[in-house]
């Protein structure tokens, strides 16, 4: 399971020109699921994302979580995080989980993230064509990959 976490001043997700979700200061999390992922990876990654301290304190050190600053989170499913670009010009997505496996794990991630973070969590729509506008704060962008982190 992979997550790209962006510290944002604000983010807005639209579907078919209509605003579906919108957050102020907080985290935008793009989540990719691979066919080997289980609830164990979800639990691990949701806790990490929910508790990550990437907001600055009074000494300008990244020492605060989204909960500490009263932030919000927006979680968006993104199978393209598992793109394999090693051959040719078109990415292959064989490592991405099929929707019937990925969607329940995505939904479980959102529920666990709500529990771990203690902040409002909004989502995109699984499998939808979505547009995201964001103001990246910093910029601060992290990549978390359970295949590397849970070794």
């Amino acid at each position: 399971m992979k997550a790209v976490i962006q510290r944002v001043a604000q983010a807005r997700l639209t579907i078919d020109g209509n605003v579906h979700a919108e957050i102020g200061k907080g985290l935008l999390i793009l989540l990719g699921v691979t066919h080997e992922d289980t609830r164990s990876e979800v639990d691990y990654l949701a806790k990490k994302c929910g508790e990550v301290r990437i907001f600055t304190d009074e000494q300008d050190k990244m020492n605060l979580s989204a909960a500490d600053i009263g932030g919000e989170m927006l979680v968006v499913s993104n199978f393209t995080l598992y793109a394999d670009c090693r051959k040719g010009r078109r990415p292959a997505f064989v490592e991405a989980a099929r929707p019937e496996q990925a969607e329940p794990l995505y939904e479980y991630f959102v529920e666990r993230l709500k529990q771990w973070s203690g902040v409002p969590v909004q989502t995109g729509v699984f499998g939808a064509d979505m547009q995201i506008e964001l103001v990246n704060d910093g910029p601060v962008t992290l990549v978390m990959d359970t295949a590397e982190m849970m070794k």
Side-chain angles (χ1 to χ4, degrees):
M1 186 165 279
K2 291 183 186 178
V4 174
I5 301 144
Q6 295 179 297
R7 187 177 79 184
V8 298
Q10 63 188 37
R12 174 184 303 155
L13 183 142
T14 58
I15 301 171
D16 296 327
N18 299 311
V19 175
H20 176 79
E22 191 167 12
I23 65 169
K25 190 171 182 117
L27 300 177
L28 169 63
I29 301 173
L30 304 176
L31 185 72
V33 180
T34 188
H35 53 81
E36 296 176 358
D37 289 332
T38 66
R39 284 185 169 213
S40 176
E41 283 80 14
V42 173
D43 288 337
Y44 179 87
L45 192 58
K47 185 173 188 336
K48 283 288 195 183
C49 290
E51 297 178 345
V52 67
R53 299 185 313 172
I54 59 173
F55 295 93
T56 55
D57 62 16
E58 306 81 38
Q59 286 78 41
D60 205 31
K61 297 210 186 278
M62 283 195 230
N63 223 4
L64 303 174
S65 69
D68 294 331
I69 61 134
E72 304 171 272
M73 295 188 190
L74 173 58
V75 181
V76 180
S77 62
N78 190 339
F79 78 95
T80 63
L81 293 178
Y82 279 100
D84 182 349
C85 300
R86 292 177 290 182
K87 295 180 182 176
R89 295 177 293 160
R90 185 178 51 156
F93 300 102
V94 295
E95 292 302 314
R98 305 256 332 131
E100 56 272 10
Q101 178 189 7
E103 187 172 9
L105 290 174
Y106 165 75
E107 291 172 0
Y108 181 64
F109 177 87
V110 170
E111 290 308 312
R112 296 298 284 163
L113 184 63
K114 288 176 182 178
Q115 293 171 348
W116 285 114
S117 70
V119 303
V121 177
Q122 296 189 46
T123 66
V125 174
F126 187 91
D129 183 19
M130 299 170 274
Q131 290 71 49
I132 302 169
E133 300 172 66
L134 65 116
V135 176
N136 196 321
D137 181 18
V140 175
T141 303
L142 306 176
V143 178
M144 293 187 189
D145 185 341
T146 58
E148 296 173 8
M149 297 170 72
M150 293 178 70
K151 288 182 181 178

